[in-house]
Short mmCIF file of all heavy atoms in Angstrom, two decimals:
data_model
loop_
_atom_site.label_atom_id
_atom_site.label_comp_id
_atom_site.label_asym_id
_atom_site.label_seq_id
_atom_site.Cartn_x
_atom_site.Cartn_y
_atom_site.Cartn_z
N GLY A 189 -27.77 -2.98 -9.09
CA GLY A 189 -28.45 -3.38 -10.33
C GLY A 189 -27.51 -3.73 -11.47
O GLY A 189 -27.97 -4.05 -12.56
N PHE A 190 -26.19 -3.67 -11.24
CA PHE A 190 -25.20 -4.00 -12.26
C PHE A 190 -24.61 -5.38 -12.00
O PHE A 190 -24.32 -5.73 -10.85
CB PHE A 190 -24.05 -2.98 -12.27
CG PHE A 190 -24.47 -1.59 -12.62
CD1 PHE A 190 -24.73 -0.65 -11.62
CD2 PHE A 190 -24.61 -1.20 -13.95
CE1 PHE A 190 -25.10 0.64 -11.94
CE2 PHE A 190 -24.99 0.09 -14.28
CZ PHE A 190 -25.24 1.02 -13.27
N LYS A 191 -24.41 -6.15 -13.05
CA LYS A 191 -23.72 -7.42 -12.93
C LYS A 191 -22.22 -7.17 -12.82
O LYS A 191 -21.64 -6.44 -13.63
CB LYS A 191 -24.00 -8.30 -14.15
CG LYS A 191 -23.30 -9.65 -14.11
CD LYS A 191 -23.57 -10.47 -15.36
CE LYS A 191 -22.81 -11.79 -15.31
NZ LYS A 191 -23.04 -12.61 -16.54
N VAL A 192 -21.59 -7.75 -11.82
CA VAL A 192 -20.14 -7.61 -11.65
C VAL A 192 -19.45 -8.55 -12.63
O VAL A 192 -19.66 -9.76 -12.61
CB VAL A 192 -19.71 -7.93 -10.21
CG1 VAL A 192 -18.19 -7.95 -10.10
CG2 VAL A 192 -20.31 -6.93 -9.24
N GLN A 193 -18.61 -7.98 -13.50
CA GLN A 193 -17.95 -8.78 -14.54
C GLN A 193 -16.46 -8.98 -14.30
O GLN A 193 -15.87 -9.92 -14.82
CB GLN A 193 -18.16 -8.10 -15.90
CG GLN A 193 -19.64 -8.06 -16.30
CD GLN A 193 -19.90 -7.05 -17.40
OE1 GLN A 193 -19.72 -5.85 -17.21
NE2 GLN A 193 -20.33 -7.55 -18.56
N GLN A 194 -15.83 -8.08 -13.52
CA GLN A 194 -14.42 -8.22 -13.18
C GLN A 194 -14.24 -7.83 -11.71
O GLN A 194 -14.95 -6.95 -11.20
CB GLN A 194 -13.54 -7.31 -14.05
CG GLN A 194 -13.55 -7.66 -15.53
CD GLN A 194 -12.67 -8.85 -15.85
OE1 GLN A 194 -11.65 -9.06 -15.19
NE2 GLN A 194 -13.04 -9.63 -16.84
N ARG A 195 -13.28 -8.46 -11.05
CA ARG A 195 -12.99 -8.16 -9.66
C ARG A 195 -11.50 -7.88 -9.52
O ARG A 195 -10.67 -8.67 -9.99
CB ARG A 195 -13.39 -9.32 -8.75
CG ARG A 195 -14.88 -9.66 -8.80
CD ARG A 195 -15.17 -10.88 -7.93
NE ARG A 195 -16.59 -11.22 -7.92
CZ ARG A 195 -17.17 -12.05 -8.79
NH1 ARG A 195 -16.43 -12.61 -9.75
NH2 ARG A 195 -18.46 -12.31 -8.72
N PHE A 196 -11.16 -6.77 -8.86
CA PHE A 196 -9.76 -6.38 -8.68
C PHE A 196 -9.49 -6.02 -7.23
O PHE A 196 -10.27 -5.27 -6.62
CB PHE A 196 -9.41 -5.18 -9.56
CG PHE A 196 -9.31 -5.49 -11.03
CD1 PHE A 196 -10.41 -5.30 -11.86
CD2 PHE A 196 -8.13 -5.98 -11.58
CE1 PHE A 196 -10.34 -5.58 -13.22
CE2 PHE A 196 -8.05 -6.26 -12.93
CZ PHE A 196 -9.14 -6.07 -13.76
N ALA A 197 -8.39 -6.53 -6.72
CA ALA A 197 -7.89 -6.09 -5.42
C ALA A 197 -6.82 -5.03 -5.66
O ALA A 197 -5.90 -5.22 -6.47
CB ALA A 197 -7.30 -7.26 -4.65
N VAL A 198 -6.95 -3.90 -4.99
CA VAL A 198 -5.93 -2.85 -5.02
C VAL A 198 -5.25 -2.93 -3.66
O VAL A 198 -5.73 -2.40 -2.66
CB VAL A 198 -6.56 -1.47 -5.25
CG1 VAL A 198 -5.49 -0.39 -5.26
CG2 VAL A 198 -7.35 -1.45 -6.56
N LEU A 199 -4.13 -3.65 -3.61
CA LEU A 199 -3.44 -3.97 -2.36
C LEU A 199 -2.06 -3.31 -2.38
O LEU A 199 -1.12 -3.80 -3.02
CB LEU A 199 -3.30 -5.49 -2.21
CG LEU A 199 -2.57 -6.00 -0.97
CD1 LEU A 199 -3.26 -5.55 0.31
CD2 LEU A 199 -2.46 -7.52 -1.01
N LYS A 200 -1.96 -2.17 -1.71
CA LYS A 200 -0.71 -1.40 -1.74
C LYS A 200 -0.20 -1.18 -0.33
O LYS A 200 -0.83 -1.56 0.65
CB LYS A 200 -0.94 -0.08 -2.47
CG LYS A 200 -1.43 -0.26 -3.91
CD LYS A 200 -1.40 1.03 -4.71
CE LYS A 200 -1.87 0.82 -6.13
NZ LYS A 200 -1.68 2.03 -6.97
N GLY A 201 0.97 -0.58 -0.22
CA GLY A 201 1.61 -0.38 1.07
C GLY A 201 3.08 -0.71 0.99
O GLY A 201 3.78 -0.24 0.09
N GLN A 202 3.57 -1.58 1.88
CA GLN A 202 4.98 -1.96 1.85
C GLN A 202 5.20 -3.27 2.61
O GLN A 202 4.52 -3.54 3.60
CB GLN A 202 5.86 -0.85 2.44
CG GLN A 202 7.35 -1.01 2.13
CD GLN A 202 8.13 0.24 2.44
OE1 GLN A 202 7.84 0.95 3.41
NE2 GLN A 202 9.14 0.55 1.63
N LEU A 203 6.16 -4.05 2.11
CA LEU A 203 6.59 -5.27 2.78
C LEU A 203 7.98 -5.04 3.37
O LEU A 203 8.78 -4.29 2.81
CB LEU A 203 6.62 -6.44 1.80
CG LEU A 203 5.30 -6.80 1.11
CD1 LEU A 203 5.51 -7.95 0.13
CD2 LEU A 203 4.22 -7.16 2.14
#
Side-chain angles (χ1 to χ4, degrees):
F190 297 97
K191 179 182 178 181
V192 173
Q193 297 163 296
Q194 295 282 328
R195 300 177 178 89
F196 288 95
V198 179
L199 179 60
K200 301 191 179 187
Q202 194 167 36
L203 301 178

